[in-house]
Amino acid sequence: MFGPVLNNVTPCSFWPPPKEQSVTTVHNDIPALMVNATGDPRVPYSEARQMHARWPASRLVTVTGSYRHAVYGTDYGDACVNDTVNAFLATGRLPAADLTCAPVRPTRTAAR
């Protein structure tokens, strides 16, 4: 959901240093739903798995064989991902276990 926010982080290099004296930490008991494609060009799947391993209260939804960054929403159209994310957003409850979703295959339309 926050991928588009990070689309252009170039201005960050001109921001002053943070006022915090220490690194911000996220407590591992905060539930988080992570969605990542195995071929994501922006967030390597290995990094998503590492973050998931360090965040025990998270669940990872993996889209296998997809080479897209954004796999949630109407643009991609994966019911497995959309239903899982929508349920989490509506209830705040994580799935019981990590999920693996097959990639969406584009459909061909007949030429007119």
Side-chain angles (χ1 to χ4, degrees), residues 57-110:
S58 69
R59 295 293 181 273
L60 178 61
V61 178
T62 300
V63 181
T64 59
S66 177
Y67 296 91
R68 292 191 50 168
H69 176 64
V71 292
Y72 168 72
T74 56
D75 182 44
Y76 188 65
D78 187 326
C80 174
V81 172
N82 290 350
D83 292 349
T84 303
V85 173
N86 289 340
F88 175 69
L89 293 174
T91 67
R93 287 189 295 269
L94 292 168
D98 295 342
L99 298 171
T100 300
C101 301
V104 171
R105 301 287 181 219
T107 57
R108 295 180 183 219
T109 55

Side-chain angles (χ1 to χ4, degrees), residues 25-79:
T25 59
V26 175
H27 298 286
N28 291 336
D29 60 345
I30 298 172
L33 183 64
M34 302 168 66
V35 180
N36 202 218
T38 56
D40 189 325
R42 292 190 182 183
V43 179
Y45 185 62
S46 61
E47 291 182 15
R49 288 177 44 99
Q50 289 174 29
M51 179 66 144
H52 176 50
R54 290 183 176 99
W55 201 330
S58 69
R59 295 293 181 273
L60 178 61
V61 178
T62 300
V63 181
T64 59
S66 177
Y67 296 91
R68 292 191 50 168
H69 176 64
V71 292
Y72 168 72
T74 56
D75 182 44
Y76 188 65
D78 187 326

